[in-house]
Amino acid sequence: VGASHLLALSGLHLGIIVGLFLTWMNGRLLLSRWRRPVGVLVLLFIWTYTFVAGMPTSLLRAALMTSVCVVASLLQRYGSPLQHLLLTAIVMMLWRPMVVFDVGAQLSFLAVAGILLFYRPLYMWFFDRWRYQIFWLERYYLMWPFTTLAVSLCAQVLTLPLVAYYFHQIPTYGTLLSIVLIPLTTLFLMLSLLLIILSWLWPLAATWLSVGVSWLLAVQLWLMTAVSRWPGAVIPDFWSRKAAPQVVVYHNRRCPALHLIASPSQSWLLTP
């Protein structure tokens, strides 16, 4: 259903968690005389989370780019976000040149590039035509569904060709579904962090909260399952080479795998 970005550890999760951290610390401290110690704490928090999560490529890209933005802010050398993205790509390729063949890295960089290139022109196009409606929506905090929709649409502009090439299908409702799934994922992460804290401080309350978290996750999974059954939810099998027998090697750093594909309905995945 086009919701794989909710499963892949990437800038979405890092942005939510760093946003919560800055809210807790009062984000305005980054603009005060305490900005350097606060910036160091933010960097430590980012890389601790990235290390604990296993340092997947998509999350590593997000952590590097966020770190570049934080360091640039501390040094008061504000550049273009696109420059930060290109610098992140250069650093990652110098550190691990084979990253250019990593599907997660390709999708991650293209998604961010699409947002940086197309979101502002799209927003200004709407603003020039419906500025009074936008002012009204922002006044009552109702702009977030349209912002979420625009960001998802811009991210898919550059990633959709790769999704079609690698996965041989195109989800049609993913952009609309993100309006609901991203807030649910944000709430799920917030409650999960609270659950971890309560499990140390108040185990009984953590037990009650775990029931609510489980129900929230069940609702999210039910929603994705229901949408996947809608007519036209996926445009499948439009590339004839999908059915060709082939051998695919997944050069994972910790767990290499061999995928033997005999037909679209029969395949074997071999791992050590």
Side-chain angles (χ1 to χ4, degrees):
V1 295
S4 59
H5 59 286
L6 301 179
L7 298 176
L9 289 170
S10 61
L12 174 65
H13 303 83
L14 185 65
I16 293 172
I17 294 177
V18 171
L20 291 173
F21 182 72
L22 288 177
T23 301
W24 174 66
M25 290 192 62
N26 189 348
R28 288 178 296 179
L29 289 174
L30 277 174
L31 303 176
S32 67
R33 62 178 181 175
W34 300 101
R35 66 179 184 274
R36 291 187 177 177
V38 172
V40 172
L41 285 177
V42 172
L43 291 175
L44 287 175
F45 179 81
I46 290 172
W47 287 102
T48 300
Y49 170 71
T50 304
F51 179 77
V52 170
M55 299 182 72
T57 305
S58 55
L59 185 59
L60 191 60
R61 191 275 314 156
L64 276 173
M65 187 172 177
T66 308
S67 300
V68 169
C69 294
V70 172
V71 172
S73 176
L74 294 178
L75 298 176
Q76 296 183 347
R77 295 177 63 90
Y78 304 100
S80 165
L82 197 58
Q83 292 176 335
H84 297 162
L85 180 64
L86 293 174
L87 178 59
T88 302
I90 292 172
V91 172
M92 289 188 66
M93 286 189 291
L94 288 174
W95 173 59
R96 193 192 301 173
M98 294 298 290
V99 77
V100 295
F101 300 105
D102 189 293
V103 178
Q106 294 172 8
L107 292 173
S108 180
F109 276 102
L110 286 178
V112 177
I115 294 171
L116 296 179
L117 290 173
F118 302 120
Y119 175 73
R120 184 172 179 80
L122 183 64
Y123 180 86
M124 296 307 299
W125 184 82
F126 278 102
F127 184 82
D128 290 339
R129 286 160 178 78
W130 297 288
R131 64 181 64 191
Y132 298 109
Q133 290 83 348
I134 290 177
F135 283 142
W136 184 85
L137 290 171
E138 289 180 342
R139 179 180 180 183
Y140 294 100
Y141 303 100
L142 297 175
M143 192 62 189
W144 63 266
F146 304 95
T147 304
T148 304
L149 182 63
V151 170
S152 300
L153 185 63
C154 294
Q156 288 194 12
V157 170
L158 297 181
T159 59
L160 200 59
L162 273 188
V163 170
Y165 177 77
Y166 285 122
F167 305 108
H168 311 284
Q169 62 183 17
I170 295 179
T172 54
Y173 300 125
T175 303
L176 291 175
L177 196 60
S178 63
I179 300 177
V180 180
L181 290 181
I182 290 179
L184 283 178
T185 302
T186 304
L187 182 61
F188 179 75
L189 284 176
M190 292 170 63
L191 293 179
S192 298
L193 291 173
L194 181 60
L195 180 62
I196 293 173
I197 297 173
L198 286 178
S199 65
W200 295 336
L201 303 178
W202 191 3
L204 182 60
T207 303
W208 298 336
L209 181 60
S210 66
V211 176
V213 172
S214 300
W215 276 102
L216 181 64
L217 183 59
V219 168
Q220 191 177 36
L221 293 175
W222 171 84
L223 180 62
M224 288 189 285
T225 304
V227 171
S228 68
R229 295 171 180 167
W230 289 1
V234 176
I235 303 174
D237 197 16
F238 60 91
W239 186 25
S240 59
R241 285 188 60 189
K242 177 185 177 184
Q246 54 186 305
V247 178
V248 182
V249 178
Y250 302 109
H251 186 61
N252 298 318
R253 183 159 53 97
R254 294 175 181 158
C255 183
L258 193 66
H259 199 182
L260 308 177
I261 301 174
S263 67
S265 60
Q266 190 175 30
S267 67
W268 299 267
L269 185 65
L270 309 178
T271 61

